[in-house]
Amino acid sequence: MKLVEWIKTKRPKGKKSIYVYTALVIVAVFSMVALNANGQGDSEDTDIMYTLTRGDIEIAISGNGTIFSAESQELDPDDFEAEVKKINFSEGDTVKKGDIIYELESDDLTAEWTKAKIAYDNASLEYRTSSGDVEDLTVRAPMTGTIEEMDLEIGQTLSQGETVVKVWDKSEIYVKTPINLLNEGKIKVGQAASVTFPSSFFTTSGVVAKVDGTPSSDGSGGLFQYVYVAVDNPGGFMEGDTARVEIYAGYETIRGITEGTVEYKDAEILESPGKATVVKLYKQEKDAVNAGEIIAVLESDSLVVSQMSKNVDLQEAKIELDELSEKMEGLSVKAGSDGILAGSDVSVGNTVGVNTSDGNSYSNNTGVLGQIISFDKRMTIAVDELDINEVEIGQHAEITVDAAPDEKFSGQVVKISEIGDVQSGVATYDVTISVPYSKLVKEGMSADAEILLDSAENVILLPIEAATEMRGKIMVTVYDEDARAGEEKSLVPVETGLMDERYYEIVEGLEEGDQVVMTGLSASDVSTDERPAGMMPGMGGGSGTGTRQRP
């Protein structure tokens, strides 16, 4: 059997056998050169020819790792204890974000939250009251009207509850008139009325604004009810003036038992919210004011300090309530994202979570509620420091899992570690690769990944065994059967591109269909500074499938 035929029968089928195969070829080549030099063989038997063809070449980094989920959510409560009341999903079920997986119940937690809510409401009320007191230090007119009472001086000290100012709205007055109770039910709000002021004999119209529902006694056994008639004040009538009232109740005119008394429709007295000092005065008694207009400014350090203290109390109560509210929300165990329920091992009535009732924390059935794992998976491979700079985010990767060796999954590089793991002086870097969702791929499975660095299609491929490195150049022995005798073989320099375990990409120097010698040069053509261009080291983490050739 000729050596070429023996080599063809021994050509490896997989990547892991490449190094052994190449070594056998090199040993065979040198053996044949030695035999030829000693005259123990002829040239026809020792020259192995190869016709160049086109093909594809890929440069990749490969490695292995373990499948893990891109995201996961632990479902067990870690800061309260509860009882499982309802289970809505089972192990392996697909869930969507917001789905309620479990419904829990905790009497202790509910009691704590209720107590905290009451404390927060009380603190909020006290803070609002305190803030209102501070706001009231700026004395504003409660309505549009006239200042009837105000006796203030700059520097004056006021006690809590002491009158600051009294403002009346005199634009409209009420005439409060007693009506015999025998007319009860006849008089209604909105009925027209006539009002006459005896002091000036001035008569004007009015409207029933209010009917007092509680009867009053005149002291002699007679009963009456007060009716309030609203009248526009032309400006001359004061509180306490009297007037006669006639009310038109349908076809009947009802008169007051006695004359009515004038009251201002709106009157309000403003008091000091606490011990305070008058620091500014903008108005005086009898001045007209508009609603909201500043009348005076008071100052009180004690009220300001009290407001700050109440605010601190409120914030502390809010923090406590927020923490317990978050725990209460945890009683409805929800999926934080779309995914799969995994690790569920619980039954209705089981107690889960953490008990802290005695001041010490201890867990109940830790992890039994399981977790939500994302559909998307990840794996991490270690890449050698010599190759890590060739890896980039977004590069395509082909993944296979041991559990489904015939299936290939398409992923990409999503993370490259900046920190290396140094072992025996050699650093490797973790490269994380995305793995698309498949029912065949589960968390914890062993997987292999191949990251495609570069590729070339339909290029001329030269077997590594046909190349020799000479003074930094790649040389190839080309065979020309049409040449003159003794000149059939010629040494040609070539420019190469990519290189994998078996082939060079020929960029320049050879053509498709050229015949090259596989067994090396004859002894007379080889000088001492020439060496066969053997297989270059594989690239990175695991077994590299190729490299870029650098001239």
Side-chain angles (χ1 to χ4, degrees):
M1 179 185 296
K2 290 185 177 182
L3 181 59
V4 64
E5 295 174 350
W6 179 84
I7 290 176
K8 289 180 178 179
T9 62
K10 300 300 181 180
R11 182 173 292 275
K13 301 298 183 181
K15 295 179 180 178
K16 295 183 179 178
S17 303
I18 276 293
Y19 291 109
V20 176
Y21 164 72
T22 305
L24 289 174
V25 172
I26 294 173
V27 170
V29 170
F30 279 112
S31 297
M32 294 184 65
V33 171
L35 287 172
N36 192 46
N38 293 328
Q40 297 179 10
D42 56 54
S43 61
E44 289 186 4
D45 290 335
T46 58
D47 287 342
I48 302 173
M49 303 305 173
Y50 181 87
T51 301
L52 298 183
T53 59
R54 290 183 178 273
D56 301 335
I57 186 170
E58 291 186 347
I59 309 304
I61 291 174
S62 61
N64 53 61
T66 302
I67 299 293
F68 62 92
S69 296
E71 297 179 0
S72 63
Q73 173 196 356
E74 297 291 340
L75 299 179
D76 280 71
D78 58 5
D79 51 5
F80 65 88
E81 185 181 56
E83 180 182 341
V84 178
K85 302 300 291 185
K86 189 176 181 181
I87 300 174
N88 298 321
F89 292 86
S90 301
E91 172 77 10
D93 283 352
T94 296
V95 299
K96 293 185 176 181
K97 182 178 180 180
D99 282 347
I100 298 177
I101 313 301
Y102 304 103
E103 296 177 33
L104 312 179
E105 185 177 273
S106 174
D107 293 339
D108 291 342
L109 179 59
T110 301
E112 285 185 54
W113 180 87
T114 302
K115 181 179 178 181
K117 182 64 168 62
I118 294 173
Y120 172 78
D121 290 342
N122 289 337
S124 180
L125 176 60
E126 292 180 4
Y127 175 70
R128 289 197 303 271
T129 301
S130 180
S131 296
D133 290 343
V134 172
E135 290 178 3
D136 288 344
L137 292 174
T138 299
V139 183
R140 298 178 181 273
M143 67 189 75
T144 298
T146 304
I147 298 174
E148 289 299 321
E149 293 183 15
M150 178 175 167
D151 186 16
L152 299 178
E153 295 180 356
I154 299 294
Q156 180 180 349
T157 298
L158 302 175
S159 302
Q160 182 177 3
E162 187 174 346
T163 297
V164 177
V165 64
K166 180 186 288 187
V167 179
W168 288 344
D169 177 6
K170 298 180 179 179
S171 62
E172 190 175 32
I173 59 175
Y174 281 156
V175 179
K176 181 181 178 182
T177 303
I179 301 295
N180 195 302
L181 196 61
L182 295 175
N183 295 306
E184 184 179 17
K186 296 180 181 180
I187 300 175
K188 301 182 183 303
V189 173
Q191 289 174 336
S194 175
V195 179
T196 301
F197 296 89
S199 59
S200 60
F201 300 103
F202 175 75
T203 300
T204 186
S205 61
V207 176
V208 175
K210 184 172 65 171
V211 178
D212 195 342
T214 303
S216 299
S217 173
D218 60 6
S220 60
L223 296 176
F224 63 90
Q225 62 183 160
Y226 284 111
V227 174
Y228 296 81
V229 176
V231 178
D232 288 336
N233 187 2
F237 302 113
M238 304 293 291
E239 191 171 42
D241 287 349
T242 61
R244 295 190 298 271
V245 174
E246 293 181 347
I247 300 172
Y248 305 115
Y251 297 102
E252 185 179 359
T253 300
I254 301 174
R255 296 177 176 81
I257 298 174
T258 61
E259 292 180 347
T261 305
V262 172
E263 293 182 354
Y264 292 130
K265 177 183 177 182
D266 290 314
E268 190 166 338
I269 298 174
L270 302 181
E271 299 177 344
S272 176
K275 184 178 180 180
T277 302
V278 179
V279 294
K280 289 183 180 179
L281 291 174
Y282 294 96
K283 297 290 182 180
Q284 297 180 354
E285 189 174 297
K286 303 303 180 181
D287 282 352
V289 292
N290 294 317
E293 192 173 0
I294 297 177
I295 297 172
V297 175
L298 312 180
E299 190 175 81
S300 173
D301 291 340
S302 61
L303 290 180
V304 173
V305 170
S306 177
Q307 181 195 32
M308 295 172 62
S309 177
K310 299 300 182 184
N311 184 43
V312 171
D313 293 342
L314 176 61
Q315 297 307 313
E316 290 177 348
K318 184 178 185 301
I319 291 173
E320 177 70 15
L321 180 61
D322 287 347
E323 290 177 352
L324 290 170
S325 295
E326 186 175 351
K327 291 181 181 181
M328 288 290 289
E329 290 179 2
L331 292 175
S332 294
V333 183
K334 298 179 180 180
S337 60
D338 295 352
I340 301 169
L341 176 60
S344 175
D345 185 20
V346 69
S347 301
V348 171
N350 286 167
T351 299
V352 297
V354 178
N355 187 317
T356 60
S357 59
D358 59 357
N360 298 314
S361 299
Y362 60 89
S363 301
N364 289 290
N365 298 323
T366 304
V368 295
L369 297 188
Q371 57 184 321
I372 303 299
I373 57 176
S374 60
F375 294 112
D376 292 335
K377 300 293 186 286
R378 299 282 188 270
M379 68 174 295
T380 299
I381 65 172
V383 176
D384 188 271
E385 60 183 306
L386 299 178
D387 305 320
I388 191 63
N389 289 331
E390 303 289 342
V391 182
E392 297 177 358
I393 299 294
Q395 282 176 330
H396 173 76
E398 189 174 87
I399 302 105
T400 58
V401 294
D402 293 352
D406 296 332
E407 299 290 333
K408 295 184 182 298
F409 305 95
S410 180
Q412 62 178 236
V413 175
V414 295
K415 181 181 178 182
I416 302 171
S417 176
E418 293 294 329
I419 301 176
D421 179 22
V422 181
Q423 299 290 336
S424 302
V426 178
T428 58
Y429 294 80
D430 285 346
V431 174
T432 303
I433 300 169
S434 65
V435 182
Y437 171 70
S438 171
K439 290 184 178 180
L440 298 175
V441 181
K442 298 184 182 297
E443 188 166 327
M445 285 184 173
S446 297
D448 295 309
E450 190 174 272
I451 302 172
L452 180 63
L453 301 180
D454 206 346
S455 64
E457 297 180 352
N458 196 31
V459 296
I460 298 173
L461 300 179
L462 173 72
I464 290 176
E465 298 87 352
T468 299
E469 186 175 343
M470 181 185 298
R471 297 185 181 90
K473 295 184 178 180
I474 301 298
M475 308 295 290
V476 178
T477 301
V478 179
Y479 182 81
D480 184 1
E481 60 182 9
D482 296 329
R484 291 184 297 176
E487 297 180 1
E488 295 90 347
K489 295 185 293 184
S490 59
L491 197 60
V492 177
V494 296
E495 181 181 344
T496 61
L498 301 181
M499 171 188 171
D500 65 11
E501 298 98 330
R502 299 179 62 181
Y503 297 102
Y504 285 107
E505 172 197 1
I506 295 300
V507 177
E508 188 176 336
L510 295 174
E511 299 292 338
E512 183 180 3
D514 285 349
Q515 285 189 313
V516 297
V517 179
M518 293 283 288
T519 56
L521 301 175
S522 65
S524 61
D525 294 328
V526 180
S527 63
T528 56
D529 64 346
E530 297 172 353
R531 62 180 178 83
M535 196 156 31
M536 298 185 71
M539 297 188 68
S543 58
T545 62
T547 181
R548 289 183 176 85
Q549 177 68 20
R550 296 177 176 83

